[in-house]
């Protein structure tokens, strides 16, 4: 008997999946059949997606909210679509794009139109991923130009740091004492020593 599944993906742990989850619950998909990954869509090495792939059988039905939730790599989306529909023999419904519903139009014209729409949307998904990376890089460059620093703040070294290091290097004081006098962790102490 055919089973209905849902797949949800968000790019990071702090992104909210509620919009996708609500859409799938409205279709009354059993909670145990909804798979969620909080991971980038750059490839399909996602734990829940892989679990879902092992579960899917011929004539099952898979719902996704939009094609970019499946992935953001043009060639891999097309390949996964082929595996799902041709090799596994399941139907896929993309809720935000009614033309991508493999239950309809199984004739040559329907398949042709579905393939064209899939290719266009897959291209758009990958293109958006590239745009996100470019916008991120531009944002970081603009922030750096404004003097914003990224990463952990530098820990200031004490005024007598050079003397402490010199005493430590001459083995006049042990490492633990040198680090203690500087008031920093061992790794910060070693990283703060100027390279010779």
């Amino acid at each position: 008997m055919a089973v209905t599944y849902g797949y949800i993906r968000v790019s990071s742990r702090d992104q909210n999946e509620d919009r996708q989850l609500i859409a799938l619950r409205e279709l009354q998909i059993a909670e145990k059949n909804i798979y969620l990954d909080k991971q980038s869509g750059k490839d399909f090495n996602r734990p829940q997606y892989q679990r879902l792939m092992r579960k899917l059988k011929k004539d099952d039905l898979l719902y996704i909210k939009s094609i970019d939730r499946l992935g953001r790599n043009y060639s891999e989306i097309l390949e996964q679509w082929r595996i799902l529909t041709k090799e596994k023999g399941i139907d896929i419904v993309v809720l935000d794009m009614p033309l991508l519903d493999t239950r309809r139009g199984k004739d040559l014209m329907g398949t042709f139109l579905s393939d064209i729409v899939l290719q266009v949307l897959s291209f758009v998904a990958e293109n958006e991923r590239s745009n996100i990376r470019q916008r991120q890089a531009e944002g970081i460059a603009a922030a750096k130009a404004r003097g914003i620093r990224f990463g952990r703040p530098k820990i200031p070294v004490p005024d007598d740091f050079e003397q402490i290091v010199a005493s430590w290097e001459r083995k006049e004081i042990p490492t633990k004492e040198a680090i203690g006098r500087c008031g920093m962790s061992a790794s910060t102490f070693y990283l703060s020593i100027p390279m010779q």
Side-chain angles (χ1 to χ4, degrees), residues 127-146:
N127 194 48
E128 177 59 15
R129 182 170 169 258
S130 297
N131 289 341
I132 288 168
R133 281 199 313 264
Q134 181 178 346
R135 286 191 299 262
Q136 184 181 35
E138 289 169 354
I140 290 169
K144 284 181 177 179
R146 290 192 314 271

Side-chain angles (χ1 to χ4, degrees), residues 86-150:
K86 305 287 191 270
E87 289 182 19
K88 288 199 167 280
I90 71 157
D91 278 311
I92 306 174
V93 176
V94 179
L95 296 172
D96 287 352
M97 183 53 61
L99 285 172
L100 289 178
D101 181 344
T102 60
R103 298 172 302 175
R104 292 192 224 132
K106 293 203 181 228
D107 62 350
L108 186 59
M109 181 57 79
T111 302
F112 173 72
L113 288 174
S114 182
D115 285 350
I116 289 174
V117 171
L118 175 64
Q119 288 191 27
V120 169
L121 292 177
S122 300
F123 170 79
V124 168
E126 181 168 338
N127 194 48
E128 177 59 15
R129 182 170 169 258
S130 297
N131 289 341
I132 288 168
R133 281 199 313 264
Q134 181 178 346
R135 286 191 299 262
Q136 184 181 35
E138 289 169 354
I140 290 169
K144 284 181 177 179
R146 290 192 314 271
I148 295 174
R149 295 182 54 100
F150 290 88

